[in-house]
Amino acid sequence: SQTIHQWPATLVQPVGSPLSLECTVEGTSNPNLYWYRQAAGRGLQLLFYSVGIGQISSEVPQNLSASRPQDRQFILSSKKLLLSDSGFYLCAWSGQPNTEAFFGQGTRLTVV
Amino acid sequence: SQQGEEDPQALSIQEGENATMNCSYKTSINNLQWYRQNSGRGLVHLILIRSNEREKHSGRLRVTLDTSKKSSSLLITASRAADTASYFCATPEGSGNTPLVFGKGTRLSVIA
């Protein structure tokens, strides 16, 4: 069966520090991969999505970047965090286009 | 990008009552999906309804889709305290292999 792993679960980082959040999927090949951000009590904002290795689409210009070094690995990064980067980050994958998405458990990032 | 908008933003009901949440979207879709999110967790897929379907059932869940009004509803019958969560509708951003775009969600509280 397919599983998605996202870590860490919580992270407190100072302003100006770098960020690396990792997401891996098991049990499937060539998944579509997504990074979403959710502000407190709000909906999900799509940040990046990838349909294959090295193929990254950015939805929102910002202080973040994403990479897909391997088929089932998706990394969200920042060189210098801002206070506004705080939020709940969710990784997800899907198989066929427009089918259901499967989410990781999320990372609660607090920038202080 | 198109986005579903849920209504109401928050809903509080007694255990055993039915809960109805609505979703409106902006452009043509090939499917619409509903997800559930427990506080501080990832989203879980509940049901997908295709554009050529008008109604779909899954256990205590009933989803309707009216493409002429660009709206959908999620009905949870005989609600339980464990149904307390946020519920989101999601639609593909466009045609082809595109990511899901989520609404801001409805926060459902079921009081025992």
Side-chain angles (χ1 to χ4, degrees):
Chain A
S1 62
Q2 302 91 355
T3 56
I4 180 168
H5 302 280
Q6 182 182 347
W7 67 92
T10 59
L11 191 60
V12 179
Q13 291 285 98
V15 169
S17 64
L19 173 72
S20 180
L21 302 181
E22 188 163 344
C23 173
T24 59
V25 180
E26 297 177 355
T28 188
S29 59
N30 197 32
N32 297 323
L33 296 170
Y34 315 93
W35 279 110
Y36 289 88
R37 177 169 62 194
Q38 186 177 30
R42 302 294 300 278
L44 277 69
Q45 178 187 33
L46 178 65
L47 301 177
F48 302 95
Y49 71 98
S50 172
V51 299
I53 295 176
Q55 300 178 61
I56 309 293
S57 296
S58 174
E59 290 291 303
V60 181
Q62 58 207 328
N63 187 40
L64 302 169
S65 63
S67 61
R68 184 171 178 172
Q70 300 181 44
D71 181 45
R72 292 169 289 177
Q73 184 184 29
F74 206 23
I75 297 173
L76 182 69
S77 303
S78 173
K79 292 182 179 178
K80 290 185 178 181
L81 284 169
L82 306 172
L83 287 174
S84 58
D85 291 323
S86 293
F88 191 51
Y89 289 82
L90 289 157
C91 180
W93 76 272
S94 68
Q96 296 296 317
N98 301 326
T99 57
E100 64 182 290
F102 300 90
F103 282 80
Q105 289 303 302
T107 296
R108 174 76 57 194
L109 172 66
T110 304
V111 182
V112 296
Chain B
S1 59
Q2 67 180 18
Q3 182 179 34
E5 290 290 339
E6 292 89 346
D7 171 63
Q9 291 186 351
L11 180 61
S12 183
I13 59 174
Q14 296 290 324
E15 204 168 30
E17 295 180 337
N18 296 340
T20 299
M21 290 157 270
N22 303 297
C23 170
S24 60
Y25 56 93
K26 298 175 183 176
T27 63
S28 297
I29 56 172
N30 56 28
N31 72 69
L32 184 143
Q33 303 176 34
W34 285 91
Y35 289 78
R36 166 193 168 125
Q37 182 184 34
N38 287 349
S39 180
R41 306 297 296 274
L43 278 73
V44 175
H45 181 265
L46 294 176
I47 198 165
L48 180 153
I49 185 166
R50 303 189 189 286
S51 59
N52 61 355
E53 298 175 310
R54 291 297 169 259
E55 186 171 313
K56 201 164 184 179
H57 297 256
S58 177
R60 293 183 296 111
L61 305 181
R62 172 179 170 253
V63 169
T64 62
L65 180 64
D66 187 336
T67 54
S68 66
K69 296 181 179 179
K70 293 186 170 57
S71 67
S72 174
S73 67
L74 170 66
L75 169 68
I76 303 174
T77 60
S79 63
R80 305 165 182 169
D83 294 327
T84 295
S86 291
Y87 292 83
F88 296 86
C89 67
T91 55
E93 189 177 55
S95 59
N97 193 0
T98 57
L100 292 174
V101 179
F102 288 79
K104 295 181 180 179
T106 293
R107 294 186 304 278
L108 173 65
S109 298
V110 181
I111 303 169

